[in-house]
Amino acid sequence: DVKVTQSSRYLVKRTGEKVFLECVQDMDHENMFWYRQDPGLGLRLIYFSYDVKMKEKGDIPEGYSVSREKKERFSLILESASTNQTSMYLCASSLSGSERAFFGQGTRLTVV
Amino acid sequence: AQSVTQPDIHITVSEGASLELRCNYSYGATPYLFWYVQSPGQGLQLLLKYFSGDTLVQGIKGFEAEFKRSQSSFNLRKPSVHWSDAAEYFCAVTGTASKLTFGTGTRLQVTL
């Protein structure tokens, strides 16, 4: 089965820190996604990538950037963490648009 | 811009009763549509998907959904709910551009 691995399950960072969230998938998927999940707001798309070095803004990209230097790895970067970025972050990958997405277990980030 | 609306934030049904969760989407071309379920503390699991062909699709755990292009809807149904179906349900839309957009979710509570 496809495996999407996020580097941390829980993370606590200080305001103003630069934060890196890493995601690796093992099935040669073209598409990778970063979401944040907050109660009552569902999954909101931050960024997605459809190929190496290609990225597209999602619905809430402000305060975030991404990097995809290798096909299997998609990194989310919080340039200067703020308390309103405290959330559950989910990474996902899919082979193509018509195929299902596979999700990592999530990283619960707390910014203090 | 593509979007998904799940108008019901929270639904409560009795065990054995039928269930319908509503999903309306906005997408400029033929969409690919998905329903995912998230149990407490668990990752997202795919229930079913539609990308072409028969507008009534069957999924796992006895769920089905019907794609109605004229109403821009993709409602999820189950004829008899089990207590283990209590979870949060997410509808999602994508297409050839690969952007995968989720709704805000519907939390299902099942009473015994």
Side-chain angles (χ1 to χ4, degrees), chain A residues 31 33 35 37 40-43 45 48 59 90 97-101 103 105, chain B residues 32 34 36 38 43-44 46 49 51 90 94-95 97-104:
Chain A
N31 302 323
F33 308 86
Y35 295 90
Q37 183 176 15
L41 298 178
L43 280 75
L45 182 63
F48 69 102
D59 300 312
L90 294 172
S98 62
E99 297 297 322
R100 60 161 294 185
F103 284 82
Q105 283 301 301
Chain B
Y32 304 135
F34 304 83
Y36 288 84
Q38 187 179 39
L44 281 95
L46 178 72
K49 70 174 185 181
F51 64 95
F90 294 96
T94 187
S98 298
K99 181 181 181 182
L100 178 60
T101 300
F102 283 80
T104 51

PDB file of all heavy atoms in Angstrom, chain A residues 31 33 35 37 40-43 45 48 59 90 97-101 103 105, chain B residues 32 34 36 38 43-44 46 49 51 90 94-95 97-104:
ATOM      1  N   ASN A  31       1.355  14.073  -7.889  1.00  0.00           N
ATOM      2  CA  ASN A  31       0.770  15.184  -7.122  1.00  0.00           C
ATOM      3  C   ASN A  31       1.052  15.048  -5.641  1.00  0.00           C
ATOM      4  O   ASN A  31       0.957  13.954  -5.077  1.00  0.00           O
ATOM      5  CB  ASN A  31      -0.746  15.220  -7.313  1.00  0.00           C
ATOM      6  CG  ASN A  31      -1.149  15.355  -8.758  1.00  0.00           C
ATOM      7  OD1 ASN A  31      -0.511  16.052  -9.531  1.00  0.00           O
ATOM      8  ND2 ASN A  31      -2.216  14.675  -9.135  1.00  0.00           N
ATOM      9  N   PHE A  33       0.304  17.380  -1.823  1.00  0.00           N
ATOM     10  CA  PHE A  33      -0.526  18.454  -1.272  1.00  0.00           C
ATOM     11  C   PHE A  33      -0.165  18.701   0.191  1.00  0.00           C
ATOM     12  O   PHE A  33       0.192  17.779   0.912  1.00  0.00           O
ATOM     13  CB  PHE A  33      -2.014  18.059  -1.302  1.00  0.00           C
ATOM     14  CG  PHE A  33      -2.517  17.578  -2.629  1.00  0.00           C
ATOM     15  CD1 PHE A  33      -2.388  16.248  -2.987  1.00  0.00           C
ATOM     16  CD2 PHE A  33      -3.123  18.449  -3.507  1.00  0.00           C
ATOM     17  CE1 PHE A  33      -2.852  15.791  -4.212  1.00  0.00           C
ATOM     18  CE2 PHE A  33      -3.598  18.009  -4.738  1.00  0.00           C
ATOM     19  CZ  PHE A  33      -3.457  16.674  -5.085  1.00  0.00           C
ATOM     20  N   TYR A  35      -2.224  20.446   3.472  1.00  0.00           N
ATOM     21  CA  TYR A  35      -3.458  21.011   4.022  1.00  0.00           C
ATOM     22  C   TYR A  35      -3.237  21.346   5.485  1.00  0.00           C
ATOM     23  O   TYR A  35      -2.412  20.746   6.156  1.00  0.00           O
ATOM     24  CB  TYR A  35      -4.598  19.993   3.953  1.00  0.00           C
ATOM     25  CG  TYR A  35      -5.028  19.594   2.569  1.00  0.00           C
ATOM     26  CD1 TYR A  35      -4.408  18.505   1.938  1.00  0.00           C
ATOM     27  CD2 TYR A  35      -6.031  20.268   1.899  1.00  0.00           C
ATOM     28  CE1 TYR A  35      -4.796  18.125   0.656  1.00  0.00           C
ATOM     29  CE2 TYR A  35      -6.419  19.892   0.617  1.00  0.00           C
ATOM     30  CZ  TYR A  35      -5.797  18.826   0.010  1.00  0.00           C
ATOM     31  OH  TYR A  35      -6.187  18.456  -1.246  1.00  0.00           O
ATOM     32  N   GLN A  37      -5.832  21.423   8.912  1.00  0.00           N
ATOM     33  CA  GLN A  37      -7.166  21.021   9.350  1.00  0.00           C
ATOM     34  C   GLN A  37      -7.461  21.669  10.683  1.00  0.00           C
ATOM     35  O   GLN A  37      -6.734  21.462  11.654  1.00  0.00           O
ATOM     36  CB  GLN A  37      -7.273  19.492   9.454  1.00  0.00           C
ATOM     37  CG  GLN A  37      -8.671  19.032   9.835  1.00  0.00           C
ATOM     38  CD  GLN A  37      -8.831  17.520   9.851  1.00  0.00           C
ATOM     39  OE1 GLN A  37      -7.862  16.773   9.844  1.00  0.00           O
ATOM     40  NE2 GLN A  37     -10.066  17.058   9.830  1.00  0.00           N
ATOM     41  N   GLY A  40     -14.192  22.711  12.341  1.00  0.00           N
ATOM     42  CA  GLY A  40     -15.219  23.519  11.702  1.00  0.00           C
ATOM     43  C   GLY A  40     -14.822  24.112  10.366  1.00  0.00           C
ATOM     44  O   GLY A  40     -15.668  24.666   9.661  1.00  0.00           O
ATOM     45  N   LEU A  41     -13.532  24.010  10.018  1.00  0.00           N
ATOM     46  CA  LEU A  41     -13.063  24.595   8.757  1.00  0.00           C
ATOM     47  C   LEU A  41     -12.658  23.531   7.742  1.00  0.00           C
ATOM     48  O   LEU A  41     -12.288  23.874   6.611  1.00  0.00           O
ATOM     49  CB  LEU A  41     -11.889  25.540   9.016  1.00  0.00           C
ATOM     50  CG  LEU A  41     -12.196  26.752   9.896  1.00  0.00           C
ATOM     51  CD1 LEU A  41     -10.949  27.581  10.123  1.00  0.00           C
ATOM     52  CD2 LEU A  41     -13.298  27.614   9.287  1.00  0.00           C
ATOM     53  N   GLY A  42     -12.679  22.283   8.129  1.00  0.00           N
ATOM     54  CA  GLY A  42     -12.334  21.217   7.196  1.00  0.00           C
ATOM     55  C   GLY A  42     -10.859  21.218   6.849  1.00  0.00           C
ATOM     56  O   GLY A  42     -10.011  21.687   7.631  1.00  0.00           O
ATOM     57  N   LEU A  43     -10.558  20.710   5.673  1.00  0.00           N
ATOM     58  CA  LEU A  43      -9.189  20.701   5.175  1.00  0.00           C
ATOM     59  C   LEU A  43      -9.034  21.850   4.195  1.00  0.00           C
ATOM     60  O   LEU A  43      -9.742  21.913   3.189  1.00  0.00           O
ATOM     61  CB  LEU A  43      -8.884  19.385   4.452  1.00  0.00           C
ATOM     62  CG  LEU A  43      -8.542  18.169   5.311  1.00  0.00           C
ATOM     63  CD1 LEU A  43      -9.778  17.599   5.979  1.00  0.00           C
ATOM     64  CD2 LEU A  43      -7.869  17.113   4.439  1.00  0.00           C
ATOM     65  N   LEU A  45      -6.530  23.836   1.624  1.00  0.00           N
ATOM     66  CA  LEU A  45      -5.336  23.595   0.825  1.00  0.00           C
ATOM     67  C   LEU A  45      -4.383  24.776   0.924  1.00  0.00           C
ATOM     68  O   LEU A  45      -4.749  25.916   0.626  1.00  0.00           O
ATOM     69  CB  LEU A  45      -5.736  23.349  -0.636  1.00  0.00           C
ATOM     70  CG  LEU A  45      -4.616  23.036  -1.605  1.00  0.00           C
ATOM     71  CD1 LEU A  45      -3.910  21.734  -1.226  1.00  0.00           C
ATOM     72  CD2 LEU A  45      -5.178  22.944  -3.027  1.00  0.00           C
ATOM     73  N   PHE A  48      -0.020  22.962  -3.460  1.00  0.00           N
ATOM     74  CA  PHE A  48       0.116  21.648  -4.048  1.00  0.00           C
ATOM     75  C   PHE A  48       1.166  21.690  -5.153  1.00  0.00           C
ATOM     76  O   PHE A  48       1.550  22.758  -5.621  1.00  0.00           O
ATOM     77  CB  PHE A  48      -1.221  21.095  -4.546  1.00  0.00           C
ATOM     78  CG  PHE A  48      -1.810  21.805  -5.742  1.00  0.00           C
ATOM     79  CD1 PHE A  48      -1.718  21.256  -7.005  1.00  0.00           C
ATOM     80  CD2 PHE A  48      -2.507  23.000  -5.584  1.00  0.00           C
ATOM     81  CE1 PHE A  48      -2.277  21.889  -8.101  1.00  0.00           C
ATOM     82  CE2 PHE A  48      -3.063  23.644  -6.666  1.00  0.00           C
ATOM     83  CZ  PHE A  48      -2.951  23.089  -7.930  1.00  0.00           C
ATOM     84  N   ASP A  59      -5.591  27.618  -1.339  1.00  0.00           N
ATOM     85  CA  ASP A  59      -6.546  28.635  -0.909  1.00  0.00           C
ATOM     86  C   ASP A  59      -6.025  29.522   0.221  1.00  0.00           C
ATOM     87  O   ASP A  59      -6.518  30.633   0.415  1.00  0.00           O
ATOM     88  CB  ASP A  59      -7.847  27.947  -0.476  1.00  0.00           C
ATOM     89  CG  ASP A  59      -8.452  27.150  -1.621  1.00  0.00           C
ATOM     90  OD1 ASP A  59      -8.548  27.707  -2.734  1.00  0.00           O
ATOM     91  OD2 ASP A  59      -8.822  25.982  -1.416  1.00  0.00           O
ATOM     92  N   LEU A  90      -1.677  18.253   7.300  1.00  0.00           N
ATOM     93  CA  LEU A  90      -1.788  16.975   6.610  1.00  0.00           C
ATOM     94  C   LEU A  90      -1.134  17.058   5.243  1.00  0.00           C
ATOM     95  O   LEU A  90      -1.385  17.992   4.481  1.00  0.00           O
ATOM     96  CB  LEU A  90      -3.257  16.582   6.430  1.00  0.00           C
ATOM     97  CG  LEU A  90      -4.043  16.289   7.691  1.00  0.00           C
ATOM     98  CD1 LEU A  90      -5.517  16.100   7.364  1.00  0.00           C
ATOM     99  CD2 LEU A  90      -3.511  15.050   8.384  1.00  0.00           C
ATOM    100  N   GLY A  97      -5.282  13.288 -11.060  1.00  0.00           N
ATOM    101  CA  GLY A  97      -6.500  13.889 -10.539  1.00  0.00           C
ATOM    102  C   GLY A  97      -7.639  12.905 -10.344  1.00  0.00           C
ATOM    103  O   GLY A  97      -8.449  13.059  -9.445  1.00  0.00           O
ATOM    104  N   SER A  98      -7.711  11.873 -11.180  1.00  0.00           N
ATOM    105  CA  SER A  98      -8.823  10.933 -11.080  1.00  0.00           C
ATOM    106  C   SER A  98      -8.578   9.838 -10.061  1.00  0.00           C
ATOM    107  O   SER A  98      -9.449   9.015  -9.806  1.00  0.00           O
ATOM    108  CB  SER A  98      -9.094  10.292 -12.440  1.00  0.00           C
ATOM    109  OG  SER A  98      -7.958   9.552 -12.853  1.00  0.00           O
ATOM    110  N   GLU A  99      -7.414   9.831  -9.478  1.00  0.00           N
ATOM    111  CA  GLU A  99      -7.079   8.810  -8.495  1.00  0.00           C
ATOM    112  C   GLU A  99      -7.190   9.370  -7.087  1.00  0.00           C
ATOM    113  O   GLU A  99      -7.001  10.563  -6.856  1.00  0.00           O
ATOM    114  CB  GLU A  99      -5.658   8.286  -8.726  1.00  0.00           C
ATOM    115  CG  GLU A  99      -5.467   7.602 -10.071  1.00  0.00           C
ATOM    116  CD  GLU A  99      -6.342   6.362 -10.207  1.00  0.00           C
ATOM    117  OE1 GLU A  99      -6.506   5.639  -9.204  1.00  0.00           O
ATOM    118  OE2 GLU A  99      -6.869   6.135 -11.310  1.00  0.00           O
ATOM    119  N   ARG A 100      -7.435   8.492  -6.132  1.00  0.00           N
ATOM    120  CA  ARG A 100      -7.579   8.910  -4.753  1.00  0.00           C
ATOM    121  C   ARG A 100      -6.284   9.475  -4.206  1.00  0.00           C
ATOM    122  O   ARG A 100      -5.195   9.155  -4.691  1.00  0.00           O
ATOM    123  CB  ARG A 100      -8.004   7.706  -3.899  1.00  0.00           C
ATOM    124  CG  ARG A 100      -6.999   6.575  -3.941  1.00  0.00           C
ATOM    125  CD  ARG A 100      -7.161   5.624  -2.781  1.00  0.00           C
ATOM    126  NE  ARG A 100      -6.842   6.276  -1.509  1.00  0.00           N
ATOM    127  CZ  ARG A 100      -6.799   5.663  -0.358  1.00  0.00           C
ATOM    128  NH1 ARG A 100      -7.089   4.367  -0.299  1.00  0.00           N
ATOM    129  NH2 ARG A 100      -6.505   6.292   0.751  1.00  0.00           N
ATOM    130  N   ALA A 101      -6.429  10.309  -3.194  1.00  0.00           N
ATOM    131  CA  ALA A 101      -5.270  10.828  -2.484  1.00  0.00           C
ATOM    132  C   ALA A 101      -4.997   9.952  -1.263  1.00  0.00           C
ATOM    133  O   ALA A 101      -5.912   9.435  -0.631  1.00  0.00           O
ATOM    134  CB  ALA A 101      -5.525  12.262  -2.044  1.00  0.00           C
ATOM    135  N   PHE A 103      -3.095   9.970   2.464  1.00  0.00           N
ATOM    136  CA  PHE A 103      -2.732  10.964   3.457  1.00  0.00           C
ATOM    137  C   PHE A 103      -1.724  10.435   4.464  1.00  0.00           C
ATOM    138  O   PHE A 103      -1.750   9.255   4.826  1.00  0.00           O
ATOM    139  CB  PHE A 103      -3.978  11.424   4.225  1.00  0.00           C
ATOM    140  CG  PHE A 103      -4.840  12.352   3.439  1.00  0.00           C
ATOM    141  CD1 PHE A 103      -5.753  11.868   2.516  1.00  0.00           C
ATOM    142  CD2 PHE A 103      -4.729  13.719   3.599  1.00  0.00           C
ATOM    143  CE1 PHE A 103      -6.538  12.730   1.777  1.00  0.00           C
ATOM    144  CE2 PHE A 103      -5.509  14.599   2.857  1.00  0.00           C
ATOM    145  CZ  PHE A 103      -6.416  14.101   1.940  1.00  0.00           C
ATOM    146  N   GLN A 105      -0.209  10.803   8.462  1.00  0.00           N
ATOM    147  CA  GLN A 105      -0.902  10.783   9.749  1.00  0.00           C
ATOM    148  C   GLN A 105      -1.049  12.175  10.360  1.00  0.00           C
ATOM    149  O   GLN A 105      -1.774  12.344  11.336  1.00  0.00           O
ATOM    150  CB  GLN A 105      -0.174   9.871  10.732  1.00  0.00           C
ATOM    151  CG  GLN A 105      -0.436   8.400  10.479  1.00  0.00           C
ATOM    152  CD  GLN A 105      -1.914   8.065  10.566  1.00  0.00           C
ATOM    153  OE1 GLN A 105      -2.560   8.267  11.581  1.00  0.00           O
ATOM    154  NE2 GLN A 105      -2.480   7.562   9.473  1.00  0.00           N
TER     155      GLN A 105
ATOM    156  N   TYR B  32     -13.968  15.368 -10.847  1.00  0.00           N
ATOM    157  CA  TYR B  32     -13.747  14.101 -10.158  1.00  0.00           C
ATOM    158  C   TYR B  32     -14.162  14.353  -8.704  1.00  0.00           C
ATOM    159  O   TYR B  32     -13.725  15.335  -8.094  1.00  0.00           O
ATOM    160  CB  TYR B  32     -12.281  13.678 -10.218  1.00  0.00           C
ATOM    161  CG  TYR B  32     -11.722  13.566 -11.618  1.00  0.00           C
ATOM    162  CD1 TYR B  32     -10.482  14.088 -11.930  1.00  0.00           C
ATOM    163  CD2 TYR B  32     -12.429  12.922 -12.628  1.00  0.00           C
ATOM    164  CE1 TYR B  32      -9.944  13.992 -13.203  1.00  0.00           C
ATOM    165  CE2 TYR B  32     -11.907  12.821 -13.905  1.00  0.00           C
ATOM    166  CZ  TYR B  32     -10.670  13.360 -14.187  1.00  0.00           C
ATOM    167  OH  TYR B  32     -10.145  13.258 -15.456  1.00  0.00           O
ATOM    168  N   PHE B  34     -15.058  12.874  -4.663  1.00  0.00           N
ATOM    169  CA  PHE B  34     -14.660  11.879  -3.665  1.00  0.00           C
ATOM    170  C   PHE B  34     -15.421  12.124  -2.365  1.00  0.00           C
ATOM    171  O   PHE B  34     -15.778  13.256  -2.039  1.00  0.00           O
ATOM    172  CB  PHE B  34     -13.156  11.988  -3.358  1.00  0.00           C
ATOM    173  CG  PHE B  34     -12.251  11.871  -4.556  1.00  0.00           C
ATOM    174  CD1 PHE B  34     -12.004  12.974  -5.358  1.00  0.00           C
ATOM    175  CD2 PHE B  34     -11.636  10.675  -4.857  1.00  0.00           C
ATOM    176  CE1 PHE B  34     -11.165  12.880  -6.460  1.00  0.00           C
ATOM    177  CE2 PHE B  34     -10.787  10.572  -5.956  1.00  0.00           C
ATOM    178  CZ  PHE B  34     -10.553  11.678  -6.755  1.00  0.00           C
ATOM    179  N   TYR B  36     -14.507  11.085   1.657  1.00  0.00           N
ATOM    180  CA  TYR B  36     -13.574  10.510   2.615  1.00  0.00           C
ATOM    181  C   TYR B  36     -14.221  10.515   3.997  1.00  0.00           C
ATOM    182  O   TYR B  36     -15.064  11.363   4.307  1.00  0.00           O
ATOM    183  CB  TYR B  36     -12.285  11.326   2.690  1.00  0.00           C
ATOM    184  CG  TYR B  36     -11.377  11.212   1.490  1.00  0.00           C
ATOM    185  CD1 TYR B  36     -11.584  12.001   0.363  1.00  0.00           C
ATOM    186  CD2 TYR B  36     -10.297  10.336   1.489  1.00  0.00           C
ATOM    187  CE1 TYR B  36     -10.748  11.910  -0.748  1.00  0.00           C
ATOM    188  CE2 TYR B  36      -9.449  10.239   0.394  1.00  0.00           C
ATOM    189  CZ  TYR B  36      -9.688  11.029  -0.714  1.00  0.00           C
ATOM    190  OH  TYR B  36      -8.851  10.938  -1.801  1.00  0.00           O
ATOM    191  N   GLN B  38     -13.210  10.326   8.254  1.00  0.00           N
ATOM    192  CA  GLN B  38     -12.150  10.439   9.257  1.00  0.00           C
ATOM    193  C   GLN B  38     -12.731  10.097  10.624  1.00  0.00           C
ATOM    194  O   GLN B  38     -13.534  10.840  11.167  1.00  0.00           O
ATOM    195  CB  GLN B  38     -11.561  11.846   9.259  1.00  0.00           C
ATOM    196  CG  GLN B  38     -10.337  11.995  10.163  1.00  0.00           C
ATOM    197  CD  GLN B  38      -9.777  13.417  10.102  1.00  0.00           C
ATOM    198  OE1 GLN B  38     -10.513  14.394  10.057  1.00  0.00           O
ATOM    199  NE2 GLN B  38      -8.437  13.524  10.089  1.00  0.00           N
ATOM    200  N   GLY B  43      -6.607   8.704  10.345  1.00  0.00           N
ATOM    201  CA  GLY B  43      -6.390   9.388   9.077  1.00  0.00           C
ATOM    202  C   GLY B  43      -7.635   9.331   8.203  1.00  0.00           C
ATOM    203  O   GLY B  43      -8.655   8.753   8.566  1.00  0.00           O
ATOM    204  N   LEU B  44      -7.550   9.943   7.032  1.00  0.00           N
ATOM    205  CA  LEU B  44      -8.681   9.965   6.098  1.00  0.00           C
ATOM    206  C   LEU B  44      -8.704   8.700   5.268  1.00  0.00           C
ATOM    207  O   LEU B  44      -7.691   8.293   4.700  1.00  0.00           O
ATOM    208  CB  LEU B  44      -8.594  11.187   5.182  1.00  0.00           C
ATOM    209  CG  LEU B  44      -9.059  12.480   5.813  1.00  0.00           C
ATOM    210  CD1 LEU B  44      -7.890  13.243   6.391  1.00  0.00           C
ATOM    211  CD2 LEU B  44      -9.810  13.335   4.799  1.00  0.00           C
ATOM    212  N   LEU B  46     -10.712   6.702   2.087  1.00  0.00           N
ATOM    213  CA  LEU B  46     -11.581   6.901   0.939  1.00  0.00           C
ATOM    214  C   LEU B  46     -12.796   5.989   1.039  1.00  0.00           C
ATOM    215  O   LEU B  46     -12.670   4.783   1.236  1.00  0.00           O
ATOM    216  CB  LEU B  46     -10.829   6.596  -0.355  1.00  0.00           C
ATOM    217  CG  LEU B  46     -11.651   6.730  -1.636  1.00  0.00           C
ATOM    218  CD1 LEU B  46     -11.924   8.208  -1.933  1.00  0.00           C
ATOM    219  CD2 LEU B  46     -10.945   6.080  -2.817  1.00  0.00           C
ATOM    220  N   LYS B  49     -15.482   7.147  -5.041  1.00  0.00           N
ATOM    221  CA  LYS B  49     -15.118   8.234  -5.950  1.00  0.00           C
ATOM    222  C   LYS B  49     -15.932   8.133  -7.226  1.00  0.00           C
ATOM    223  O   LYS B  49     -16.406   7.061  -7.608  1.00  0.00           O
ATOM    224  CB  LYS B  49     -13.629   8.187  -6.295  1.00  0.00           C
ATOM    225  CG  LYS B  49     -13.227   7.015  -7.179  1.00  0.00           C
ATOM    226  CD  LYS B  49     -11.762   7.117  -7.585  1.00  0.00           C
ATOM    227  CE  LYS B  49     -11.400   6.008  -8.570  1.00  0.00           C
ATOM    228  NZ  LYS B  49      -9.979   6.057  -8.975  1.00  0.00           N
ATOM    229  N   PHE B  51     -15.562   9.509 -11.310  1.00  0.00           N
ATOM    230  CA  PHE B  51     -14.847  10.293 -12.311  1.00  0.00           C
ATOM    231  C   PHE B  51     -15.460  10.163 -13.701  1.00  0.00           C
ATOM    232  O   PHE B  51     -15.174  10.956 -14.576  1.00  0.00           O
ATOM    233  CB  PHE B  51     -13.350   9.969 -12.354  1.00  0.00           C
ATOM    234  CG  PHE B  51     -13.011   8.568 -12.771  1.00  0.00           C
ATOM    235  CD1 PHE B  51     -12.711   8.256 -14.084  1.00  0.00           C
ATOM    236  CD2 PHE B  51     -12.967   7.554 -11.830  1.00  0.00           C
ATOM    237  CE1 PHE B  51     -12.376   6.972 -14.457  1.00  0.00           C
ATOM    238  CE2 PHE B  51     -12.642   6.256 -12.195  1.00  0.00           C
ATOM    239  CZ  PHE B  51     -12.346   5.968 -13.516  1.00  0.00           C
ATOM    240  N   PHE B  90     -15.987  13.972   4.656  1.00  0.00           N
ATOM    241  CA  PHE B  90     -15.540  15.069   3.803  1.00  0.00           C
ATOM    242  C   PHE B  90     -15.795  14.745   2.341  1.00  0.00           C
ATOM    243  O   PHE B  90     -15.434  13.669   1.855  1.00  0.00           O
ATOM    244  CB  PHE B  90     -14.039  15.325   3.989  1.00  0.00           C
ATOM    245  CG  PHE B  90     -13.663  15.837   5.341  1.00  0.00           C
ATOM    246  CD1 PHE B  90     -13.228  14.953   6.322  1.00  0.00           C
ATOM    247  CD2 PHE B  90     -13.748  17.186   5.642  1.00  0.00           C
ATOM    248  CE1 PHE B  90     -12.872  15.419   7.583  1.00  0.00           C
ATOM    249  CE2 PHE B  90     -13.398  17.654   6.893  1.00  0.00           C
ATOM    250  CZ  PHE B  90     -12.962  16.765   7.864  1.00  0.00           C
ATOM    251  N   THR B  94     -11.882  17.488  -7.593  1.00  0.00           N
ATOM    252  CA  THR B  94     -10.692  17.820  -8.357  1.00  0.00           C
ATOM    253  C   THR B  94     -10.997  17.617  -9.828  1.00  0.00           C
ATOM    254  O   THR B  94     -12.120  17.290 -10.201  1.00  0.00           O
ATOM    255  CB  THR B  94      -9.487  16.968  -7.909  1.00  0.00           C
ATOM    256  OG1 THR B  94      -8.307  17.445  -8.569  1.00  0.00           O
ATOM    257  CG2 THR B  94      -9.678  15.505  -8.268  1.00  0.00           C
ATOM    258  N   GLY B  95      -9.984  17.850 -10.653  1.00  0.00           N
ATOM    259  CA  GLY B  95     -10.152  17.684 -12.086  1.00  0.00           C
ATOM    260  C   GLY B  95      -8.803  17.508 -12.734  1.00  0.00           C
ATOM    261  O   GLY B  95      -7.838  17.110 -12.080  1.00  0.00           O
ATOM    262  N   ALA B  97      -6.684  19.613 -13.546  1.00  0.00           N
ATOM    263  CA  ALA B  97      -5.660  20.519 -13.039  1.00  0.00           C
ATOM    264  C   ALA B  97      -5.061  20.055 -11.718  1.00  0.00           C
ATOM    265  O   ALA B  97      -4.162  20.696 -11.195  1.00  0.00           O
ATOM    266  CB  ALA B  97      -6.228  21.915 -12.890  1.00  0.00           C
ATOM    267  N   SER B  98      -5.563  18.965 -11.189  1.00  0.00           N
ATOM    268  CA  SER B  98      -4.994  18.305 -10.001  1.00  0.00           C
ATOM    269  C   SER B  98      -5.260  18.973  -8.664  1.00  0.00           C
ATOM    270  O   SER B  98      -5.000  18.368  -7.637  1.00  0.00           O
ATOM    271  CB  SER B  98      -3.472  18.120 -10.137  1.00  0.00           C
ATOM    272  OG  SER B  98      -3.179  17.283 -11.231  1.00  0.00           O
ATOM    273  N   LYS B  99      -5.742  20.201  -8.643  1.00  0.00           N
ATOM    274  CA  LYS B  99      -6.027  20.829  -7.358  1.00  0.00           C
ATOM    275  C   LYS B  99      -7.156  20.071  -6.674  1.00  0.00           C
ATOM    276  O   LYS B  99      -8.222  19.894  -7.242  1.00  0.00           O
ATOM    277  CB  LYS B  99      -6.423  22.288  -7.571  1.00  0.00           C
ATOM    278  CG  LYS B  99      -6.707  23.039  -6.289  1.00  0.00           C
ATOM    279  CD  LYS B  99      -7.121  24.477  -6.580  1.00  0.00           C
ATOM    280  CE  LYS B  99      -7.383  25.239  -5.283  1.00  0.00           C
ATOM    281  NZ  LYS B  99      -7.834  26.630  -5.537  1.00  0.00           N
ATOM    282  N   LEU B 100      -6.943  19.633  -5.454  1.00  0.00           N
ATOM    283  CA  LEU B 100      -7.910  18.832  -4.713  1.00  0.00           C
ATOM    284  C   LEU B 100      -8.470  19.674  -3.584  1.00  0.00           C
ATOM    285  O   LEU B 100      -7.752  20.029  -2.643  1.00  0.00           O
ATOM    286  CB  LEU B 100      -7.240  17.568  -4.172  1.00  0.00           C
ATOM    287  CG  LEU B 100      -8.074  16.616  -3.320  1.00  0.00           C
ATOM    288  CD1 LEU B 100      -9.267  16.086  -4.109  1.00  0.00           C
ATOM    289  CD2 LEU B 100      -7.203  15.477  -2.809  1.00  0.00           C
ATOM    290  N   THR B 101      -9.779  19.968  -3.662  1.00  0.00           N
ATOM    291  CA  THR B 101     -10.427  20.870  -2.708  1.00  0.00           C
ATOM    292  C   THR B 101     -11.447  20.104  -1.891  1.00  0.00           C
ATOM    293  O   THR B 101     -12.272  19.371  -2.438  1.00  0.00           O
ATOM    294  CB  THR B 101     -11.120  22.024  -3.457  1.00  0.00           C
ATOM    295  OG1 THR B 101     -10.145  22.746  -4.206  1.00  0.00           O
ATOM    296  CG2 THR B 101     -11.809  22.966  -2.485  1.00  0.00           C
ATOM    297  N   PHE B 102     -11.396  20.307  -0.577  1.00  0.00           N
ATOM    298  CA  PHE B 102     -12.307  19.637   0.345  1.00  0.00           C
ATOM    299  C   PHE B 102     -13.370  20.602   0.863  1.00  0.00           C
ATOM    300  O   PHE B 102     -13.170  21.819   0.911  1.00  0.00           O
ATOM    301  CB  PHE B 102     -11.539  19.082   1.544  1.00  0.00           C
ATOM    302  CG  PHE B 102     -10.779  17.827   1.251  1.00  0.00           C
ATOM    303  CD1 PHE B 102      -9.554  17.883   0.611  1.00  0.00           C
ATOM    304  CD2 PHE B 102     -11.292  16.590   1.600  1.00  0.00           C
ATOM    305  CE1 PHE B 102      -8.852  16.717   0.326  1.00  0.00           C
ATOM    306  CE2 PHE B 102     -10.594  15.424   1.328  1.00  0.00           C
ATOM    307  CZ  PHE B 102      -9.373  15.492   0.683  1.00  0.00           C
ATOM    308  N   GLY B 103     -14.478  20.018   1.301  1.00  0.00           N
ATOM    309  CA  GLY B 103     -15.481  20.779   2.021  1.00  0.00           C
ATOM    310  C   GLY B 103     -15.133  20.876   3.496  1.00  0.00           C
ATOM    311  O   GLY B 103     -14.106  20.352   3.940  1.00  0.00           O
ATOM    312  N   THR B 104     -15.996  21.528   4.248  1.00  0.00           N
ATOM    313  CA  THR B 104     -15.724  21.748   5.664  1.00  0.00           C
ATOM    314  C   THR B 104     -16.084  20.557   6.538  1.00  0.00           C
ATOM    315  O   THR B 104     -15.783  20.553   7.726  1.00  0.00           O
ATOM    316  CB  THR B 104     -16.488  22.977   6.170  1.00  0.00           C
ATOM    317  OG1 THR B 104     -17.869  22.845   5.799  1.00  0.00           O
ATOM    318  CG2 THR B 104     -15.939  24.258   5.559  1.00  0.00           C
TER     319      THR B 104
END
